[in-house]
Amino acid sequence: ATGLAADGKLNVSSYLDCEIKRLAVQQSERRILLCDSGKFGAAGLLSYAELSDMDRLITDEDCPDALRQLCQRCGTLLDIANK
């Protein structure tokens, strides 16, 4: 993803990436997003899904509190990877 907006939208900058990722989300039984904390709050041109569409988010130790709270509100499990 180009970014994970503060409102939970998963964004990219390319139309082709958007269509591929949208289709992958629609066709998947389990949806796991791997996203470093630096992408939180970043905006892209196109949204292909929302955090609430994801079953699990894996991110790094620098995960901001706002992202932790967003995961709770969305019902998305949060895993913090160790360095």
Side-chain angles (χ1 to χ4, degrees):
T2 297
L4 172 54
D7 64 359
K9 289 187 181 353
L10 306 176
N11 302 300
V12 292
S13 296
S14 148
Y15 178 76
L16 181 59
D17 284 347
C18 183
E19 289 303 307
I20 291 169
K21 290 176 188 243
R22 182 178 291 140
L23 183 59
V25 169
Q26 290 172 352
Q27 298 294 320
S28 298
E29 282 185 32
R30 291 180 35 197
R31 297 169 191 101
I32 301 171
L33 178 66
L34 178 62
C35 180
D36 67 83
S37 62
K39 293 190 178 196
F40 182 65
L45 296 174
L46 304 162
S47 175
Y48 65 90
E50 297 195 13
L51 185 60
S52 60
D53 297 324
M54 300 293 118
D55 299 310
R56 182 177 302 269
L57 168 65
I58 301 171
T59 191
D60 58 78
E61 294 174 327
D62 297 326
C63 177
D65 287 337
L67 181 53
R68 294 171 195 261
Q69 293 169 7
L70 182 59
C71 284
Q72 285 181 333
R73 286 194 307 272
C74 291
T76 301
L77 297 174
L78 177 63
D79 287 330
I80 306 293
N82 296 324
K83 291 184 180 178

